[in-house]
Amino acid sequence: KEDETKVNTLWGELAWQLGGREGYNYLAESDQQGINPGSDTLRKIFNRYSPCLILIDEWVRYVGQTYGKEKSLPAGSFDSNIAFAQSLTEAARQAKKTMVVASIPASDIEMGGEGGKEALPRLQNTFSRMESSWRPASTEEGFEIVRRRLFQPIEDSKKFVERDAVIDAFTRMYRAQAHEFPTPFKEQDYKRRMEAAYPIHPELFDRLYNEWSSLEKFQRTRGVLRLMATVIHSLWERNDAGLLILPATMPIDTPSVQQELTRYLEDHWVPVIERDVDGPNSLPLSLDRENPNLGRYSACRRVTRTIYLGTAPKESVRKPGIEEKNINLGCVQPGESVATFGDALRRLSSQATHLYIDGKRYWFSTQPSVNRLAQDRAAQFETYKIHKEIIDRIQKIRQRGAFSGVHVAPDSTSDVPDEMTVRLVVLKPETVHARNFPDSPAQKEAESILYNKGLGSRLYRNTLVFLAADRARIVELEDAVRHYLSWKSIVDEKEELNLDVFQTKQASTKHNEASETVEGRIQEAFIWLLVPGQSNPSSSEIDWNEIRLQGRDSLYVRASKRVEHDALLYTTFSSALLKMELDKWFWQDEDHINTKKIWKDFCSYLYFPRLKDVSVLSDAIKEGAGSLFWNSTFAYAGGFDSKNKKYINLIAGYQGNICIDDSSLIVKPAIASKQIEEEKKVVPEGENNGAKVTPQINGGEGKGQNKGTKEPVTSKKKCRFFGNVSIDPTRPGPEVSKIANEVISHLSGIMNAEVKVTLEISAYIPDGASEDVVRTVMENAKTIGFDDIHFEDE
C-alpha cells in the first residue's frame, strides 16, 4: 500500500480500507498467516470505524479461484475464505452502524467454473441466515441506469418542452388508434414510463429486460448498458432523426450492434439476420427498395428488427412470438400510417425464410420455415394452371347485376350466345388492356366476338359488354395465385412433408391469407370495361368506350352499375327517349312501326341505346301509350287491318296489355287521333244516341222492365261522374298516379267524353302560417296556375 503496508487477504484489504495501518494492525497476524480473523476482531474494527458500508462484488468468482489449491496460498485457503464470510456477516450483525452488501450471481456463466459452483451455495447459505435480498435493476430502474450512464441530464428548459412534446405526440397516437396498439397499460402510467426512459422507448427496455435477460449469457444490467451504448453511438454517427429509440430503430446492420445481439445467441443466428432481418443483402431491404411506399419509412426493416428483438431469445419456448399490436408499438412513430407497417408485415410473412406465424403471433427461428418451400413451389406452376384458378374463381361469382348472362373466358366466339339480352363477356386473363392502348389484345378479342358467332356473323351486337384485365395488374394477380397454389399444395401434403405443429399452422394461415389476396387482386386486375358503340351509322368503325372500374362491389355488380351510370345500359327507358329514337330513325315517312323490328334493331345496331331486355322496351311503350299525354308520344295497336285501314286494339291514353311481336305496332299520335275521331262519329246499329232499348216481354217481368207495367222501359244514360277522395299530403304523388291510371284513364278513354279534373286543397293551421310559408305557397300556386288561392284570417 501507499504506507508500505503489505496486504495478503480479503479481510486484510477490508481492515486497511477502513482504518489504514491502524485498522490493519487489528488482524495483521491473521492476514499474514491467511487464516480467518474471527467475528470478534471484525466487530471491533467495525465499531471503531463506524459507520461502515462494505460492498463486495464478484465474491463467488474470487473465492472460487482458491478452490482445490494448496493451503499455503497468501490469500488464504478456500475454507478460510468461506469461514471469513461467516465471520463477516455475524460481525456486521452485531456491530454498530455497519452494513454488508454482496452481489450473488444469477447464472452459471458468472460463477467462474468448478470453484465458483462450490463457492456459490456456501456463500448463499451464509447470507441466507440474515440477508435482505434485493434484485437490482428492474426495468424502471434500468431506465435510470442507462439514462444516467449514456446521456447527459436535461438542464435546458427548452429541452424539457421538446421531450414533453414528443411524449404527448406518442400518447395522442396511442389514444387515437387504440385498436392498433396493446391495451394492458394505462395511458398515464405509460406516459410516466416514457418520461423516465426518454429518449429510449419503454418497449425497447421491456424487450431487453424481459426477453434478453432470460438468456444465460446476457447480464441484466451490464448487458443492457453495453448493448445500448453501441446502439446509441451507431445512431449518433448516422444522425438518426427518430423521435425515440425504438426496437425498430436498432441498427442491426451495424457490425458492432449485430455482434452484441448475436454474442448471446447461437451462431446460426448470423445468417438469419443477414437474410431476413437487416443487412445489405437482406430481404427487408430489397422489399423496401422495390416498394416506395414502404421504403419511405424503411417499413420492412423496422418490422423485422422489432420481431427479431422481441422473439430471438425465446424461439424455443412453448408459445413464441409477439402479436401484431406489439410490433406496431415497436415500429410506429407519430405521423406515420400503421397500415404501411401492416402491409410490410404481410409481405414479409409470405417471403421471409425464417419468419414464422401462428394466428397473429410472429417470430424468427433459426430453422427455415415453410416459406422457402412455398417460394420454390410457386415458381414451378405453369401459366395455364394460374389462369385456370383465376377463371374458376370468377365463374363462382353469383351476383350478375343487370346482366342477363355472364360468359367467362370463352374459348371461341361460338361460346357467347347470339341472343337479344345484354350479356357481360369476361375476357381471358392473358387478354389484357391498358388506357390509350389501341388494338390491345382485349380490344382485338372483343371485336372478334362482337362480329362473329362461330363460323357465321353475329346479329345482335348491341347486347355485349366486355370486361378485361389490366396489363400491369394481371402480373400481380398471377403472382398471388402462384403463392396461393403453392400454399394449397403444402397444406394438402402436410403429412407427406412431415410438418410440425407450428409449420402446419403457418401453412394453413398463409393458405387462407393467400386466398383472400387472390380475391382482392382479381378485383384490382379486372378493371377495364370495353363497351362498343357507334356515333356514325354510315361508318363501319366501332367507338370503344374504355371505362376503368372502381368500388368494392363484386366484379359483375361494379360493371353493371358503371354502364348504367354512364347510360351505356338501360334497365329502365322512358317513353320520351323512345319517342326521340322513333323520330330519328324509324318513322319519318311511316304512320307506324312494328315493335319487334324496333327491338331487333335496338339489339343489332351499335348506335341505338342498349336495353337490358325486351321488358324495358315493353314498359316504355306502355308508359307512352297509356299516358294522359299520349298525344306528345305515341299510341299502341295490337295490329293493323289492311282491308279496312284500321288499327286493331288501339291503346291511347289508358293502360292496356303490351306485346312485342310481329303484328303489334307503335302508332304516330296524329294517326291514332284521326282514327279515334272517326270512330266517335259512327253510331252502331241497335243503339239510340247511346241508349239501349229493351223490348216488351209479355206475361212477365224482364230485364229493363218496370214491375207491374206493360210499358217498355228505357234505361237511363250514365252521362256524368263525380267523385272526391282524400289524399295523404305527405305522399300525394303515388296516390295521384294511381287515381290517374285506374279512374281518369278509363273515363278519358270513352269517345266524345269531356273529362275535367280539379284538385282542391284545404288546410287548417291552428297556430297560423309564418310569413315565409304564406309567401312561398302563394307564389308557387300562382306559377302552377291555381284559379282561386287565398289564406283566411282566424
Side-chain angles (χ1 to χ4, degrees), residues 69 94 112 142 157 166 207 255 265 267 340 346 390 439 450 492 495 507 531 543 573 611 632 712 728 737 755 779:
K69 303 292 177 65
Q94 296 175 357
S157 59
V166 169
R207 295 303 165 196
L265 302 171
D267 295 337
T340 302
R346 279 176 279 280
I390 296 171
D439 298 326
L450 189 68
D492 293 341
E495 294 181 0
V531 186
D543 299 325
F573 200 62
L611 307 187
S632 62
D728 185 356
S737 177
V755 180
E779 290 178 355

Side-chain angles (χ1 to χ4, degrees), residues 296-497:
R296 177 184 177 188
Y297 300 109
S298 300
C300 291
R301 280 172 288 174
R302 287 165 67 176
V303 166
T304 52
R305 290 168 182 169
T306 303
I307 296 175
Y308 173 80
L309 198 68
T311 63
K314 292 188 174 182
E315 64 157 329
S316 59
V317 299
R318 184 175 181 181
K319 191 176 181 181
I322 57 175
E323 293 188 357
E324 187 171 350
K325 291 185 176 181
N326 289 97
I327 297 174
N328 293 339
L329 186 64
C331 286
V332 186
Q333 296 193 92
E336 298 174 342
S337 172
V338 177
T340 302
F341 296 91
D343 182 32
L345 179 60
R346 279 176 279 280
R347 291 176 185 267
L348 289 164
S349 63
S350 63
Q351 299 185 49
T353 303
H354 295 84
L355 180 61
Y356 281 76
I357 176 174
D358 181 13
K360 292 187 176 181
R361 298 184 70 84
Y362 299 81
W363 71 95
F364 279 112
S365 174
T366 54
Q367 296 297 322
S369 68
V370 287
N371 278 339
R372 170 58 66 86
L373 178 61
Q375 292 174 23
D376 294 341
R377 290 195 172 191
Q380 299 172 6
F381 287 101
E382 297 175 338
T383 303
Y384 82 91
K385 291 184 178 180
I386 305 297
H387 290 174
K388 183 179 181 301
E389 177 65 25
I390 296 171
I391 293 170
D392 289 344
R393 285 177 176 258
I394 295 177
Q395 287 176 333
K396 292 178 181 178
I397 300 174
R398 291 288 175 261
Q399 294 178 316
R400 294 181 177 179
F403 300 111
S404 299
V406 177
H407 307 279
V408 181
D411 291 324
S412 68
T413 59
S414 60
D415 291 339
V416 181
D418 191 12
E419 298 178 358
M420 291 190 289
T421 53
V422 175
R423 297 171 177 274
L424 177 68
V425 180
V426 183
L427 300 177
K428 295 178 181 179
E430 64 268 25
T431 311
V432 296
H433 186 73
R435 188 179 295 279
N436 299 323
F437 184 12
D439 298 326
S440 68
Q443 186 172 314
K444 289 181 178 180
E445 180 69 12
E447 277 192 26
S448 177
I449 297 174
L450 189 68
Y451 281 113
N452 304 297
K453 170 68 168 66
L455 298 177
S457 297
R458 187 173 298 277
L459 297 177
Y460 307 120
R461 298 171 182 172
N462 201 32
T463 61
L464 298 183
V465 175
F466 300 90
L467 179 62
D470 183 75
R471 181 173 56 179
R473 294 294 180 87
I474 194 66
V475 178
E476 298 174 355
L477 173 57
E478 290 173 342
D479 184 61
V481 174
R482 289 181 188 276
H483 282 88
Y484 164 76
L485 292 177
S486 66
W487 285 114
K488 183 177 183 299
S489 67
I490 292 172
V491 171
D492 293 341
E493 301 172 18
K494 59 185 177 182
E495 294 181 0
E496 293 87 337
L497 295 171

Side-chain angles (χ1 to χ4, degrees), residues 257-298:
V257 176
Q258 186 177 126
Q259 183 180 359
E260 284 298 317
L261 288 172
T262 55
R263 65 184 297 176
Y264 308 106
L265 302 171
E266 300 175 358
D267 295 337
H268 304 304
W269 277 105
V270 175
V272 174
I273 293 175
E274 293 176 348
R275 179 182 179 85
D276 285 344
V277 180
D278 200 1
N281 300 313
S282 65
L283 172 66
L285 179 60
S286 175
L287 291 175
D288 283 336
R289 287 173 174 172
E290 293 172 2
N291 300 275
N293 191 42
L294 302 178
R296 177 184 177 188
Y297 300 109
S298 300

Side-chain angles (χ1 to χ4, degrees), residues 149 209 227 322 391 537 562 635 672 674 679 712 716:
R149 293 282 188 93
Y209 279 95
L227 172 63
I322 57 175
I391 293 170
R562 185 57 191 271
K674 183 178 179 181
E679 289 176 348
K716 296 181 178 180

